Amino acid sequence: MFLRAKSRTKGGKTHRYWSIVENRRVAGGGVVQRQVLYLGELNDNQRAGWIRTVETLWGEKPKAKQLALFPDDREELPVMDCETVRVQLDKIELRRPREWGACWLGLYVWNMLELDTFWKQRLPSSRKGTSWLNLLKALSCYRLIDPGSEFRFHREWFLRSAMGDLLGEDYSLAQKDKPYRCLDLLLEHRDELFGFLKEQWGKLFGAKYDVLLYDLTSTYFESDPPAGSDSKKRFGYSRDKRSDCVQVVVALVLTTEGFPVAYEVYPGNTRDTATLEEFLDRIEKQYGKSRRTWLMDRGIPTEKTLEKMRSRGIDYLVGTPKGHLTRVEKPLLEQPWIQARESVRVKILQQESEFYVYVESHDRVAKERSMRRRRLKRLGASLHELRNRKKITRDDLLMHIGALKKEAGRDFGLVRISLPNPQESVNEHTFHFELDRERLRRALRREGRYLLRSNMQAASPETVWESYLLLTRVEQAFKDLKGALSIRPIWHQLEKRIEAHIFVSFLAYCLHTTLRNLARGRASGLTSDAILKKLSGIQMIDIHLPITEGRHIVMSRYTQPEKDVSLLLAQLGLSLPDQPPPKVYASGQTRL
């Protein structure tokens, strides 16, 4: 290690900023540098103090050889065909604990999907020997296990994980610029990857593509708004409740088992209705014109789009806005209820080319009624408190009512409020309110009820309702992408790297959903996150054995799994690999 200074001129004055930098010798005899500690500006005494405490590490490239080990208290050693050395047992050290189990599992799932077959020809090594394929594996597993920025991958995670041991790579793979350069190589292969994954999931899990789930979400940036008109970073409707940040919109298509089929990135101000037709054409081009059923939430298709889908022979099942219920409510009243489940009943209304399914869930009635009761109770208490205040101006009253309206949501419309005129004081005569009982009765009649619309052929209303529930899979996919895989926020500035960041998150989600479906068949009830968390308890540790001539043997060993982890591995049908062979290093030498 040594001190390194960087100079910067500000206001005509030169400043020197110091860091402690570590040299790491890597394969091929090269050396890469890693910033260990940033010190800022130092005076001469401070710099001299740091120089006295920094130790420089020396060493040569290790050579493999066969050794016979004996404790150092043995006076006579037997004659052996190989070199015999004494181990100083009282100086054995355990160093560099790092996460091994979750990294191994991530690479196991990668190999299960045979992704090396796809990427090997598309990501050849660089002229300097950098394996872009291994770096992509590391970045994908990083996003799966402990997601963060590419700089954190370089600065912390690669060293705290056993990814280098598992890939046979050293720290040169995690040089500061390489993760970003790897991102620049990925996007051109995106659509080909969609087709490859379709074949793999069909082979491994028998995945079917006759029913597709479609939805959109948004993810925001921690960066300044774009200057150019061609950027996809835009202000728009934020599903993350971050309207203060620019964002992009991500559209995702899944199978009913949760396998991702395709995705697309749109500008942050894209309307949901503007994306569906493009995806219909893309999926038809990629997977053929076989008859499929598209499941979508309300607000995505327009009447014009649905008409085109019917003319092209494409089935759909879509939620219907509540305002549409008014148009068909009267003919629906004449239809009989059909019991779909113990707590769910449905009605069906057939029209010329499509039909409506009216669903009533008793559990949902109880939930919505309880939520409405709580909101109305809070609203009434707050309005009473405002009216009883002794000193409050009309302007202050309007500001408080605006906040209450936002908190109460749609239930605010169930209360009739009479406000004082501009010059009147606020009192019980000028400011009063009451519950709109007629509107409340209409709301109560629709509690726990929603309307579905479809043109599916030969489908019973019970089947339609159960199919619509599958949309929770795509909602869960967005939760996984934003939660466990941390697709948000995005820190990149370059357009190509913004989309490459989302592409790596997509790859990580492919590993995530493959692991989930593997567990579904062998260890049902366990989630991907729970499995990764369990295996993350398996650590790798370097055992340093000092031997003769100042050398030392390094034995990298992963810890034996606990009983619960062994049970999980057995249930999943997984076996841990053999322990790696030991290595001999010269005195003072360290190596990843």
Side-chain angles (χ1 to χ4, degrees), residues 109 112-113 194 196-214 252-263 283 287 470 473-474 476-477 480-481 506 509-521 528:
V109 178
M112 184 179 175
L113 288 174
F194 296 157
F196 178 82
L197 288 172
K198 174 182 178 292
E199 295 178 2
Q200 294 304 110
W201 283 319
K203 181 169 64 176
L204 291 171
F205 303 103
K208 298 180 180 179
Y209 298 84
D210 52 347
V211 178
L212 299 179
L213 318 177
Y214 180 72
L252 181 64
V253 178
L254 301 180
T255 69
T256 54
E257 297 92 351
F259 296 113
V261 175
Y263 79 91
I283 297 301
Y287 301 112
L470 295 173
R473 298 277 174 86
V474 73
Q476 184 60 47
D480 292 336
L481 282 167
F506 174 82
Y509 179 72
C510 292
L511 302 180
H512 188 276
T513 194
T514 302
L515 179 58
R516 183 184 66 237
N517 279 272
L518 176 66
R520 184 179 297 167
S528 301

Short mmCIF file of all heavy atoms in Angstrom, two decimals, residues 109 112-113 194 196-214 252-263 283 287 470 473-474 476-477 480-481 506 509-521 528:
data_model
loop_
_atom_site.label_atom_id
_atom_site.label_comp_id
_atom_site.label_asym_id
_atom_site.label_seq_id
_atom_site.Cartn_x
_atom_site.Cartn_y
_atom_site.Cartn_z
N VAL A 109 -27.65 -21.53 -10.79
CA VAL A 109 -28.85 -21.24 -11.58
C VAL A 109 -28.45 -20.73 -12.96
O VAL A 109 -29.10 -21.04 -13.97
CB VAL A 109 -29.73 -20.22 -10.83
CG1 VAL A 109 -30.96 -19.86 -11.66
CG2 VAL A 109 -30.18 -20.77 -9.48
N MET A 112 -27.65 -23.65 -14.87
CA MET A 112 -28.88 -24.41 -15.11
C MET A 112 -29.59 -23.89 -16.36
O MET A 112 -30.15 -24.67 -17.14
CB MET A 112 -29.77 -24.27 -13.88
CG MET A 112 -31.04 -25.07 -13.91
SD MET A 112 -31.96 -24.82 -12.38
CE MET A 112 -33.44 -25.76 -12.74
N LEU A 113 -29.55 -22.59 -16.58
CA LEU A 113 -30.16 -21.99 -17.77
C LEU A 113 -29.24 -22.07 -18.99
O LEU A 113 -29.64 -21.61 -20.08
CB LEU A 113 -30.50 -20.52 -17.50
CG LEU A 113 -31.69 -20.27 -16.57
CD1 LEU A 113 -31.82 -18.77 -16.27
CD2 LEU A 113 -32.98 -20.78 -17.17
N PHE A 194 -34.17 -13.13 -25.36
CA PHE A 194 -35.57 -13.46 -25.10
C PHE A 194 -35.92 -14.82 -25.71
O PHE A 194 -36.54 -15.67 -25.06
CB PHE A 194 -36.50 -12.38 -25.68
CG PHE A 194 -36.35 -11.02 -25.03
CD1 PHE A 194 -36.74 -9.87 -25.71
CD2 PHE A 194 -35.84 -10.90 -23.76
CE1 PHE A 194 -36.62 -8.62 -25.13
CE2 PHE A 194 -35.71 -9.65 -23.17
CZ PHE A 194 -36.09 -8.52 -23.85
N PHE A 196 -33.84 -17.25 -26.59
CA PHE A 196 -33.08 -18.33 -25.96
C PHE A 196 -33.70 -18.74 -24.63
O PHE A 196 -33.83 -19.93 -24.33
CB PHE A 196 -31.64 -17.86 -25.75
CG PHE A 196 -30.77 -18.87 -25.06
CD1 PHE A 196 -30.19 -19.91 -25.77
CD2 PHE A 196 -30.53 -18.78 -23.69
CE1 PHE A 196 -29.38 -20.85 -25.13
CE2 PHE A 196 -29.73 -19.71 -23.04
CZ PHE A 196 -29.15 -20.75 -23.77
N LEU A 197 -34.10 -17.75 -23.83
CA LEU A 197 -34.70 -18.07 -22.53
C LEU A 197 -36.03 -18.79 -22.69
O LEU A 197 -36.37 -19.66 -21.88
CB LEU A 197 -34.89 -16.78 -21.73
CG LEU A 197 -33.61 -16.14 -21.19
CD1 LEU A 197 -33.91 -14.78 -20.58
CD2 LEU A 197 -32.95 -17.04 -20.15
N LYS A 198 -36.79 -18.45 -23.72
CA LYS A 198 -38.06 -19.14 -23.97
C LYS A 198 -37.82 -20.64 -24.15
O LYS A 198 -38.53 -21.47 -23.58
CB LYS A 198 -38.74 -18.56 -25.21
CG LYS A 198 -39.99 -19.31 -25.65
CD LYS A 198 -40.56 -18.68 -26.90
CE LYS A 198 -41.79 -19.46 -27.39
NZ LYS A 198 -41.44 -20.81 -27.88
N GLU A 199 -36.81 -20.99 -24.92
CA GLU A 199 -36.50 -22.40 -25.13
C GLU A 199 -36.05 -23.07 -23.84
O GLU A 199 -36.43 -24.21 -23.55
CB GLU A 199 -35.42 -22.53 -26.20
CG GLU A 199 -35.85 -22.05 -27.58
CD GLU A 199 -34.72 -22.15 -28.58
OE1 GLU A 199 -33.62 -22.64 -28.19
OE2 GLU A 199 -34.92 -21.76 -29.75
N GLN A 200 -35.23 -22.38 -23.05
CA GLN A 200 -34.71 -22.97 -21.82
C GLN A 200 -35.81 -23.24 -20.81
O GLN A 200 -35.85 -24.30 -20.18
CB GLN A 200 -33.64 -22.06 -21.21
CG GLN A 200 -32.38 -21.93 -22.05
CD GLN A 200 -31.75 -23.28 -22.34
OE1 GLN A 200 -31.77 -23.77 -23.47
NE2 GLN A 200 -31.22 -23.92 -21.32
N TRP A 201 -36.71 -22.27 -20.62
CA TRP A 201 -37.78 -22.47 -19.65
C TRP A 201 -38.78 -23.54 -20.13
O TRP A 201 -39.35 -24.25 -19.31
CB TRP A 201 -38.50 -21.15 -19.40
CG TRP A 201 -37.70 -20.25 -18.50
CD1 TRP A 201 -36.99 -20.61 -17.40
CD2 TRP A 201 -37.51 -18.84 -18.64
NE1 TRP A 201 -36.38 -19.52 -16.85
CE2 TRP A 201 -36.68 -18.42 -17.58
CE3 TRP A 201 -37.97 -17.90 -19.55
CZ2 TRP A 201 -36.30 -17.10 -17.41
CZ3 TRP A 201 -37.59 -16.57 -19.39
CH2 TRP A 201 -36.76 -16.18 -18.33
N GLY A 202 -38.96 -23.62 -21.42
CA GLY A 202 -39.80 -24.70 -21.92
C GLY A 202 -39.18 -26.05 -21.67
O GLY A 202 -39.87 -27.02 -21.32
N LYS A 203 -37.85 -26.15 -21.82
CA LYS A 203 -37.16 -27.42 -21.61
C LYS A 203 -37.08 -27.80 -20.13
O LYS A 203 -37.24 -28.97 -19.77
CB LYS A 203 -35.75 -27.32 -22.21
CG LYS A 203 -34.92 -28.59 -22.09
CD LYS A 203 -33.66 -28.49 -22.93
CE LYS A 203 -32.75 -27.39 -22.43
NZ LYS A 203 -31.47 -27.35 -23.17
N LEU A 204 -36.86 -26.81 -19.26
CA LEU A 204 -36.67 -27.08 -17.83
C LEU A 204 -37.98 -27.25 -17.08
O LEU A 204 -38.11 -28.11 -16.20
CB LEU A 204 -35.84 -25.96 -17.19
CG LEU A 204 -34.37 -25.86 -17.59
CD1 LEU A 204 -33.76 -24.57 -17.06
CD2 LEU A 204 -33.59 -27.06 -17.09
N PHE A 205 -38.95 -26.38 -17.40
CA PHE A 205 -40.17 -26.33 -16.60
C PHE A 205 -41.45 -26.55 -17.41
O PHE A 205 -42.55 -26.46 -16.86
CB PHE A 205 -40.28 -24.98 -15.88
CG PHE A 205 -39.10 -24.68 -15.00
CD1 PHE A 205 -38.12 -23.78 -15.40
CD2 PHE A 205 -38.95 -25.30 -13.77
CE1 PHE A 205 -37.04 -23.49 -14.59
CE2 PHE A 205 -37.87 -25.02 -12.95
CZ PHE A 205 -36.91 -24.12 -13.36
N GLY A 206 -41.32 -26.78 -18.71
CA GLY A 206 -42.52 -26.94 -19.54
C GLY A 206 -43.34 -25.67 -19.63
O GLY A 206 -44.58 -25.73 -19.68
N ALA A 207 -42.68 -24.51 -19.64
CA ALA A 207 -43.39 -23.22 -19.66
C ALA A 207 -44.23 -23.09 -20.93
O ALA A 207 -43.82 -23.49 -22.02
CB ALA A 207 -42.40 -22.07 -19.58
N LYS A 208 -45.43 -22.53 -20.77
CA LYS A 208 -46.35 -22.32 -21.89
C LYS A 208 -46.55 -20.83 -22.12
O LYS A 208 -46.46 -20.02 -21.19
CB LYS A 208 -47.69 -23.00 -21.60
CG LYS A 208 -47.59 -24.51 -21.45
CD LYS A 208 -48.94 -25.13 -21.17
CE LYS A 208 -48.84 -26.64 -21.01
NZ LYS A 208 -50.15 -27.27 -20.72
N TYR A 209 -46.85 -20.49 -23.37
CA TYR A 209 -46.93 -19.08 -23.75
C TYR A 209 -48.27 -18.75 -24.39
O TYR A 209 -48.37 -17.82 -25.18
CB TYR A 209 -45.78 -18.74 -24.72
CG TYR A 209 -44.42 -18.92 -24.07
CD1 TYR A 209 -43.81 -20.17 -24.03
CD2 TYR A 209 -43.77 -17.86 -23.47
CE1 TYR A 209 -42.59 -20.35 -23.42
CE2 TYR A 209 -42.54 -18.02 -22.86
CZ TYR A 209 -41.96 -19.26 -22.84
OH TYR A 209 -40.73 -19.43 -22.21
N ASP A 210 -49.31 -19.52 -24.00
CA ASP A 210 -50.63 -19.26 -24.57
C ASP A 210 -51.38 -18.17 -23.80
O ASP A 210 -52.36 -17.62 -24.30
CB ASP A 210 -51.46 -20.54 -24.61
CG ASP A 210 -51.50 -21.24 -23.26
OD1 ASP A 210 -50.69 -20.87 -22.38
OD2 ASP A 210 -52.33 -22.15 -23.09
N VAL A 211 -50.94 -17.87 -22.56
CA VAL A 211 -51.51 -16.77 -21.78
C VAL A 211 -50.37 -15.88 -21.33
O VAL A 211 -49.40 -16.36 -20.72
CB VAL A 211 -52.30 -17.28 -20.55
CG1 VAL A 211 -52.84 -16.11 -19.74
CG2 VAL A 211 -53.44 -18.21 -20.99
N LEU A 212 -50.44 -14.58 -21.64
CA LEU A 212 -49.38 -13.64 -21.31
C LEU A 212 -49.93 -12.51 -20.44
O LEU A 212 -51.05 -12.03 -20.66
CB LEU A 212 -48.76 -13.05 -22.59
CG LEU A 212 -48.10 -14.05 -23.55
CD1 LEU A 212 -47.57 -13.33 -24.77
CD2 LEU A 212 -46.98 -14.82 -22.85
N LEU A 213 -49.14 -12.12 -19.46
CA LEU A 213 -49.50 -11.03 -18.55
C LEU A 213 -48.71 -9.79 -18.95
O LEU A 213 -47.51 -9.86 -19.16
CB LEU A 213 -49.18 -11.41 -17.10
CG LEU A 213 -49.52 -12.83 -16.66
CD1 LEU A 213 -49.07 -13.05 -15.22
CD2 LEU A 213 -51.00 -13.10 -16.80
N TYR A 214 -49.40 -8.65 -19.00
CA TYR A 214 -48.76 -7.42 -19.46
C TYR A 214 -49.06 -6.29 -18.48
O TYR A 214 -50.22 -6.08 -18.09
CB TYR A 214 -49.28 -7.04 -20.85
CG TYR A 214 -48.67 -5.77 -21.41
CD1 TYR A 214 -47.34 -5.75 -21.83
CD2 TYR A 214 -49.41 -4.60 -21.51
CE1 TYR A 214 -46.78 -4.60 -22.34
CE2 TYR A 214 -48.86 -3.44 -22.02
CZ TYR A 214 -47.54 -3.45 -22.44
OH TYR A 214 -46.99 -2.30 -22.93
N LEU A 252 -43.44 -4.87 -19.16
CA LEU A 252 -42.97 -6.24 -18.96
C LEU A 252 -44.07 -7.23 -19.34
O LEU A 252 -45.24 -7.02 -19.03
CB LEU A 252 -42.59 -6.44 -17.49
CG LEU A 252 -42.05 -7.81 -17.07
CD1 LEU A 252 -40.73 -8.11 -17.77
CD2 LEU A 252 -41.87 -7.86 -15.56
N VAL A 253 -43.68 -8.30 -20.03
CA VAL A 253 -44.58 -9.39 -20.39
C VAL A 253 -44.10 -10.66 -19.70
O VAL A 253 -42.92 -11.02 -19.78
CB VAL A 253 -44.63 -9.62 -21.92
CG1 VAL A 253 -45.55 -10.78 -22.25
CG2 VAL A 253 -45.12 -8.37 -22.62
N LEU A 254 -45.01 -11.33 -18.98
CA LEU A 254 -44.70 -12.57 -18.26
C LEU A 254 -45.63 -13.69 -18.70
O LEU A 254 -46.73 -13.43 -19.20
CB LEU A 254 -44.86 -12.38 -16.74
CG LEU A 254 -44.04 -11.33 -16.01
CD1 LEU A 254 -44.40 -11.37 -14.54
CD2 LEU A 254 -42.56 -11.58 -16.19
N THR A 255 -45.19 -14.92 -18.46
CA THR A 255 -46.09 -16.05 -18.57
C THR A 255 -46.85 -16.20 -17.26
O THR A 255 -46.55 -15.53 -16.26
CB THR A 255 -45.31 -17.34 -18.85
OG1 THR A 255 -44.54 -17.69 -17.70
CG2 THR A 255 -44.39 -17.18 -20.05
N THR A 256 -47.81 -17.09 -17.23
CA THR A 256 -48.59 -17.28 -16.00
C THR A 256 -47.74 -17.87 -14.88
O THR A 256 -48.09 -17.73 -13.70
CB THR A 256 -49.78 -18.21 -16.27
OG1 THR A 256 -49.30 -19.43 -16.85
CG2 THR A 256 -50.77 -17.56 -17.21
N GLU A 257 -46.61 -18.54 -15.20
CA GLU A 257 -45.72 -19.06 -14.17
C GLU A 257 -44.74 -18.01 -13.66
O GLU A 257 -43.95 -18.27 -12.76
CB GLU A 257 -44.91 -20.26 -14.69
CG GLU A 257 -45.76 -21.46 -15.08
CD GLU A 257 -46.14 -21.43 -16.55
OE1 GLU A 257 -45.88 -20.39 -17.21
OE2 GLU A 257 -46.70 -22.42 -17.04
N GLY A 258 -44.77 -16.82 -14.28
CA GLY A 258 -43.88 -15.75 -13.85
C GLY A 258 -42.60 -15.64 -14.65
O GLY A 258 -41.72 -14.84 -14.31
N PHE A 259 -42.44 -16.41 -15.73
CA PHE A 259 -41.24 -16.32 -16.55
C PHE A 259 -41.33 -15.08 -17.45
O PHE A 259 -42.31 -14.92 -18.18
CB PHE A 259 -41.07 -17.56 -17.41
CG PHE A 259 -40.85 -18.82 -16.63
CD1 PHE A 259 -41.79 -19.83 -16.62
CD2 PHE A 259 -39.70 -18.98 -15.88
CE1 PHE A 259 -41.60 -20.98 -15.89
CE2 PHE A 259 -39.48 -20.14 -15.15
CZ PHE A 259 -40.44 -21.14 -15.15
N PRO A 260 -40.32 -14.21 -17.44
CA PRO A 260 -40.37 -13.01 -18.29
C PRO A 260 -40.17 -13.36 -19.76
O PRO A 260 -39.28 -14.13 -20.13
CB PRO A 260 -39.21 -12.16 -17.76
CG PRO A 260 -38.28 -13.12 -17.10
CD PRO A 260 -39.13 -14.25 -16.58
N VAL A 261 -41.02 -12.82 -20.59
CA VAL A 261 -40.97 -13.07 -22.04
C VAL A 261 -40.21 -11.96 -22.75
O VAL A 261 -39.38 -12.22 -23.63
CB VAL A 261 -42.40 -13.19 -22.60
CG1 VAL A 261 -42.37 -13.34 -24.12
CG2 VAL A 261 -43.12 -14.37 -21.96
N ALA A 262 -40.48 -10.72 -22.39
CA ALA A 262 -39.83 -9.58 -23.02
C ALA A 262 -40.10 -8.34 -22.16
O ALA A 262 -40.99 -8.34 -21.30
CB ALA A 262 -40.35 -9.36 -24.44
N TYR A 263 -39.31 -7.32 -22.40
CA TYR A 263 -39.54 -6.03 -21.74
C TYR A 263 -39.12 -4.92 -22.69
O TYR A 263 -38.42 -5.15 -23.68
CB TYR A 263 -38.78 -5.95 -20.41
CG TYR A 263 -37.30 -5.63 -20.58
CD1 TYR A 263 -36.85 -4.31 -20.56
CD2 TYR A 263 -36.37 -6.63 -20.78
CE1 TYR A 263 -35.51 -4.02 -20.74
CE2 TYR A 263 -35.04 -6.36 -20.96
CZ TYR A 263 -34.61 -5.04 -20.93
OH TYR A 263 -33.28 -4.74 -21.12
N ILE A 283 -44.45 -9.56 -30.01
CA ILE A 283 -44.62 -10.94 -29.58
C ILE A 283 -45.08 -11.82 -30.74
O ILE A 283 -44.66 -12.97 -30.89
CB ILE A 283 -45.63 -11.01 -28.41
CG1 ILE A 283 -45.09 -10.24 -27.20
CG2 ILE A 283 -45.92 -12.44 -28.03
CD1 ILE A 283 -43.77 -10.74 -26.68
N TYR A 287 -42.81 -14.93 -31.68
CA TYR A 287 -43.32 -16.25 -31.29
C TYR A 287 -44.41 -16.78 -32.23
O TYR A 287 -45.03 -17.81 -31.93
CB TYR A 287 -43.86 -16.20 -29.86
CG TYR A 287 -42.83 -15.78 -28.85
CD1 TYR A 287 -42.92 -14.57 -28.19
CD2 TYR A 287 -41.74 -16.60 -28.58
CE1 TYR A 287 -41.97 -14.18 -27.26
CE2 TYR A 287 -40.78 -16.22 -27.66
CZ TYR A 287 -40.90 -15.02 -27.01
OH TYR A 287 -39.95 -14.63 -26.10
N LEU A 470 -54.30 -14.05 -11.99
CA LEU A 470 -52.90 -14.28 -12.33
C LEU A 470 -52.12 -12.99 -12.52
O LEU A 470 -50.88 -13.00 -12.53
CB LEU A 470 -52.80 -15.13 -13.61
CG LEU A 470 -53.35 -16.55 -13.51
CD1 LEU A 470 -53.34 -17.20 -14.88
CD2 LEU A 470 -52.53 -17.38 -12.53
N ARG A 473 -49.12 -12.01 -10.50
CA ARG A 473 -47.75 -12.46 -10.80
C ARG A 473 -46.90 -11.31 -11.34
O ARG A 473 -45.74 -11.16 -10.96
CB ARG A 473 -47.80 -13.60 -11.82
CG ARG A 473 -48.53 -14.84 -11.35
CD ARG A 473 -47.64 -15.73 -10.50
NE ARG A 473 -48.40 -16.84 -9.93
CZ ARG A 473 -48.61 -17.99 -10.54
NH1 ARG A 473 -48.16 -18.17 -11.77
NH2 ARG A 473 -49.28 -18.96 -9.94
N VAL A 474 -47.45 -10.51 -12.24
CA VAL A 474 -46.67 -9.41 -12.78
C VAL A 474 -46.49 -8.31 -11.74
O VAL A 474 -45.46 -7.63 -11.70
CB VAL A 474 -47.31 -8.88 -14.09
CG1 VAL A 474 -48.58 -8.09 -13.82
CG2 VAL A 474 -46.32 -8.03 -14.87
N GLN A 476 -46.11 -8.95 -8.59
CA GLN A 476 -45.03 -9.47 -7.75
C GLN A 476 -43.68 -9.32 -8.45
O GLN A 476 -42.66 -9.08 -7.80
CB GLN A 476 -45.30 -10.94 -7.44
CG GLN A 476 -44.27 -11.57 -6.49
CD GLN A 476 -44.22 -10.89 -5.15
OE1 GLN A 476 -45.25 -10.62 -4.54
NE2 GLN A 476 -43.02 -10.59 -4.68
N ALA A 477 -43.66 -9.46 -9.78
CA ALA A 477 -42.41 -9.28 -10.52
C ALA A 477 -41.87 -7.88 -10.33
O ALA A 477 -40.66 -7.68 -10.12
CB ALA A 477 -42.64 -9.56 -12.01
N ASP A 480 -40.41 -7.58 -6.91
CA ASP A 480 -39.09 -8.20 -6.85
C ASP A 480 -38.03 -7.31 -7.50
O ASP A 480 -36.92 -7.15 -6.96
CB ASP A 480 -39.10 -9.57 -7.54
CG ASP A 480 -39.94 -10.58 -6.78
OD1 ASP A 480 -40.11 -10.42 -5.56
OD2 ASP A 480 -40.44 -11.54 -7.41
N LEU A 481 -38.35 -6.75 -8.65
CA LEU A 481 -37.39 -5.89 -9.34
C LEU A 481 -37.04 -4.65 -8.52
O LEU A 481 -35.88 -4.23 -8.47
CB LEU A 481 -37.94 -5.48 -10.71
CG LEU A 481 -37.85 -6.52 -11.82
CD1 LEU A 481 -38.70 -6.11 -13.01
CD2 LEU A 481 -36.41 -6.73 -12.25
N PHE A 506 -32.92 -7.34 -15.42
CA PHE A 506 -33.76 -8.36 -16.06
C PHE A 506 -33.09 -9.72 -15.98
O PHE A 506 -33.74 -10.73 -15.67
CB PHE A 506 -34.02 -7.96 -17.51
CG PHE A 506 -34.75 -9.00 -18.31
CD1 PHE A 506 -36.12 -9.11 -18.25
CD2 PHE A 506 -34.05 -9.88 -19.14
CE1 PHE A 506 -36.80 -10.08 -18.99
CE2 PHE A 506 -34.72 -10.84 -19.89
CZ PHE A 506 -36.09 -10.94 -19.81
N TYR A 509 -33.45 -10.99 -12.58
CA TYR A 509 -34.81 -11.48 -12.34
C TYR A 509 -35.02 -12.84 -12.98
O TYR A 509 -35.75 -13.68 -12.45
CB TYR A 509 -35.84 -10.49 -12.87
CG TYR A 509 -37.26 -10.98 -12.67
CD1 TYR A 509 -37.82 -11.02 -11.40
CD2 TYR A 509 -38.02 -11.46 -13.74
CE1 TYR A 509 -39.10 -11.50 -11.20
CE2 TYR A 509 -39.29 -11.95 -13.54
CZ TYR A 509 -39.82 -11.96 -12.27
OH TYR A 509 -41.09 -12.46 -12.06
N CYS A 510 -34.39 -13.10 -14.12
CA CYS A 510 -34.47 -14.43 -14.74
C CYS A 510 -33.88 -15.48 -13.80
O CYS A 510 -34.45 -16.58 -13.65
CB CYS A 510 -33.72 -14.43 -16.07
SG CYS A 510 -34.50 -13.44 -17.36
N LEU A 511 -32.74 -15.19 -13.16
CA LEU A 511 -32.17 -16.11 -12.19
C LEU A 511 -33.11 -16.27 -10.99
O LEU A 511 -33.30 -17.38 -10.47
CB LEU A 511 -30.80 -15.61 -11.72
CG LEU A 511 -29.73 -15.40 -12.80
CD1 LEU A 511 -28.45 -14.89 -12.16
CD2 LEU A 511 -29.46 -16.68 -13.57
N HIS A 512 -33.69 -15.15 -10.56
CA HIS A 512 -34.58 -15.13 -9.40
C HIS A 512 -35.82 -16.00 -9.65
O HIS A 512 -36.20 -16.84 -8.81
CB HIS A 512 -34.98 -13.69 -9.13
CG HIS A 512 -35.74 -13.47 -7.86
ND1 HIS A 512 -37.10 -13.66 -7.75
CD2 HIS A 512 -35.32 -13.09 -6.63
CE1 HIS A 512 -37.48 -13.39 -6.52
NE2 HIS A 512 -36.42 -13.04 -5.82
N THR A 513 -36.45 -15.84 -10.79
CA THR A 513 -37.68 -16.60 -11.07
C THR A 513 -37.37 -18.07 -11.39
O THR A 513 -38.19 -18.94 -11.10
CB THR A 513 -38.46 -15.93 -12.23
OG1 THR A 513 -39.78 -16.47 -12.28
CG2 THR A 513 -37.80 -16.18 -13.57
N THR A 514 -36.20 -18.35 -11.96
CA THR A 514 -35.81 -19.74 -12.17
C THR A 514 -35.62 -20.45 -10.84
O THR A 514 -36.07 -21.59 -10.65
CB THR A 514 -34.52 -19.82 -12.99
OG1 THR A 514 -34.72 -19.15 -14.25
CG2 THR A 514 -34.13 -21.25 -13.26
N LEU A 515 -34.97 -19.78 -9.90
CA LEU A 515 -34.79 -20.36 -8.56
C LEU A 515 -36.13 -20.56 -7.87
O LEU A 515 -36.35 -21.58 -7.21
CB LEU A 515 -33.89 -19.43 -7.73
CG LEU A 515 -33.60 -19.87 -6.30
CD1 LEU A 515 -32.95 -21.25 -6.27
CD2 LEU A 515 -32.70 -18.84 -5.61
N ARG A 516 -37.05 -19.61 -8.04
CA ARG A 516 -38.37 -19.74 -7.43
C ARG A 516 -39.12 -20.95 -7.99
O ARG A 516 -39.75 -21.71 -7.25
CB ARG A 516 -39.19 -18.47 -7.65
CG ARG A 516 -40.56 -18.51 -6.97
CD ARG A 516 -41.39 -17.29 -7.28
NE ARG A 516 -41.74 -17.23 -8.68
CZ ARG A 516 -41.44 -16.20 -9.47
NH1 ARG A 516 -40.78 -15.17 -9.01
NH2 ARG A 516 -41.79 -16.21 -10.75
N ASN A 517 -39.06 -21.14 -9.30
CA ASN A 517 -39.76 -22.28 -9.90
C ASN A 517 -39.06 -23.60 -9.59
O ASN A 517 -39.72 -24.64 -9.53
CB ASN A 517 -39.88 -22.07 -11.41
CG ASN A 517 -41.03 -21.15 -11.78
OD1 ASN A 517 -42.16 -21.59 -11.97
ND2 ASN A 517 -40.74 -19.86 -11.86
N LEU A 518 -37.76 -23.57 -9.40
CA LEU A 518 -37.06 -24.76 -8.94
C LEU A 518 -37.54 -25.16 -7.55
O LEU A 518 -37.80 -26.34 -7.27
CB LEU A 518 -35.55 -24.51 -8.94
CG LEU A 518 -34.67 -25.64 -8.41
CD1 LEU A 518 -34.75 -26.85 -9.33
CD2 LEU A 518 -33.22 -25.17 -8.26
N ALA A 519 -37.68 -24.16 -6.67
CA ALA A 519 -38.16 -24.42 -5.31
C ALA A 519 -39.62 -24.84 -5.32
O ALA A 519 -40.05 -25.65 -4.48
CB ALA A 519 -37.97 -23.19 -4.44
N ARG A 520 -40.42 -24.29 -6.26
CA ARG A 520 -41.84 -24.62 -6.32
C ARG A 520 -42.05 -26.11 -6.55
O ARG A 520 -42.98 -26.72 -6.02
CB ARG A 520 -42.52 -23.81 -7.42
CG ARG A 520 -44.02 -23.99 -7.51
CD ARG A 520 -44.58 -23.11 -8.62
NE ARG A 520 -44.37 -21.69 -8.34
CZ ARG A 520 -44.54 -20.72 -9.23
NH1 ARG A 520 -44.88 -21.03 -10.48
NH2 ARG A 520 -44.34 -19.46 -8.91
N GLY A 521 -41.17 -26.73 -7.33
CA GLY A 521 -41.32 -28.15 -7.60
C GLY A 521 -40.69 -29.04 -6.55
O GLY A 521 -41.04 -30.21 -6.44
N SER A 528 -37.37 -17.32 -3.33
CA SER A 528 -35.98 -17.19 -3.77
C SER A 528 -35.15 -16.43 -2.74
O SER A 528 -34.00 -16.80 -2.45
CB SER A 528 -35.93 -16.46 -5.13
OG SER A 528 -36.66 -17.16 -6.10
#
